[in-house]
Amino acid sequence: MARVALVTGGTRGIGAAISKALKAADYKVAAIYAGNDEAAHKFNAETGIAIYKWDVSSFDACANGVKKIEANVGPVDVLVNNAGITRDAMFHRMTADQWTAVVNTNLGSLFNMTRQVVEGMRTRKFGRIINISSINGQKGQMGQVNYSAAKAGEIGFTKALAQEGARSGITVNAICPGYINTEMVQAVPKDVLEKSILPLIPIGRLGEPEEIARCVVFLASDEAGLITGSTLTANGGQFMA
């Protein structure tokens, strides 16, 4: 019987690639999105992957949403916490709203989502929780104190929960992408990309969303059962941890 995978932020960018790769690996996939209805419905029409809309920074929305998915698709075996936002500003100019929005969405969502599925995983003695962190959670980034703090928190969350879930057959791992060829990076001015970003990447190119998706598919598999509490760095050698 096909396992059920749930991907937050699963209809665009890295999340869309993850959703499609998991479907290709014979998972039943549910993709969650927050706001871009047009992109989400286009994704659904092209892939046939079920889509659900809610705000992952809300605990109650996550509780209600996961109940709906489990009723429609089945108990969640694989959770990919991918949803994230940026609200960049130098710290001395950062507002409380910019801080709270990023921390609640990028880090708070890990509690909000994982809390809904972890008890079922423990009962069934199987679970895969994969958190999409960031290179900037490992090394920090000027102008992104909020984002870097949240993404570093994802790594701590991963390591602690991995210890709790290990005896119940639940693995918890993080992936830290570097610069990936998504809409957000494509919006960077070409001269900035070529002069300030690419020279820092030893392989000399951006990563592709599908490369991160392949990492997820492996960590979700039975074959990855030995790996838990790990941080998989996927950044072309830009930062070696």
Side-chain angles (χ1 to χ4, degrees):
M1 184 175 178
R3 287 183 170 143
V4 174
L6 191 160
V7 184
T8 69
T11 62
R12 299 172 63 197
I14 292 173
I18 292 169
S19 296
K20 288 187 280 189
L22 286 168
K23 181 183 179 183
D26 294 327
Y27 291 85
K28 293 181 181 177
V29 181
I32 299 166
Y33 75 103
N36 193 322
D37 292 312
E38 182 180 355
H41 288 289
K42 181 180 179 183
F43 171 84
N44 169 254
E46 290 175 349
T47 66
I49 293 172
I51 58 172
Y52 296 82
K53 181 180 181 180
W54 74 76
D55 178 5
V56 293
S57 71
S58 165
F59 183 85
D60 289 341
C62 292
N64 293 331
V66 171
K67 284 179 183 176
K68 185 181 293 184
I69 287 174
E70 293 198 324
N72 293 345
V73 187
V76 175
D77 302 296
V78 177
L79 171 63
V80 183
N81 287 308
N82 169 71
I85 61 172
T86 57
R87 298 288 185 272
D88 295 351
M90 296 297 284
F91 186 74
H92 63 282
R93 295 174 181 162
M94 186 174 290
T95 67
D97 286 345
Q98 287 173 318
W99 172 269
T100 301
V102 169
V103 171
N104 286 355
T105 297
N106 296 18
L107 180 58
S109 63
L110 267 65
F111 175 81
N112 297 339
M113 289 298 305
T114 308
R115 188 64 185 83
Q116 314 309 326
V117 302
V118 72
E119 289 188 57
M121 290 178 175
R122 291 176 66 89
T123 297
R124 296 188 300 276
K125 299 296 182 184
F126 179 88
R128 296 286 187 264
I129 299 166
I130 302 162
N131 302 315
I132 308 301
S133 181
S134 168
I135 185 176
N136 292 341
Q138 295 175 298
K139 71 175 187 61
Q141 177 61 41
M142 184 170 65
Q144 287 193 327
V145 171
N146 49 3
Y147 184 83
S148 295
K151 290 300 184 178
E154 291 188 27
I155 296 171
F157 178 101
T158 296
K159 292 178 182 295
L161 187 59
Q163 296 177 55
E164 295 187 15
R167 292 296 179 92
S168 298
I170 303 168
T171 67
V172 190
N173 293 289
I175 299 172
C176 288
Y179 283 90
I180 305 299
N181 189 23
T182 61
E183 289 180 22
M184 182 172 68
V185 173
Q186 290 166 4
V188 174
K190 185 177 179 181
D191 61 326
V192 173
L193 187 66
E194 292 179 351
K195 294 177 182 178
S196 301
I197 295 176
L198 290 178
L200 300 177
I201 305 173
I203 66 170
R205 65 171 177 84
L206 300 175
E208 295 297 331
E210 292 77 14
E211 293 179 295
I212 305 302
R214 287 194 289 270
C215 297
V216 171
V217 171
F218 171 65
L219 290 174
S221 69
D222 289 353
E223 289 79 6
L226 183 64
I227 302 172
T228 194
S230 292
T231 301
L232 179 56
T233 298
N235 60 38
Q238 183 178 353
F239 182 79
M240 301 182 186

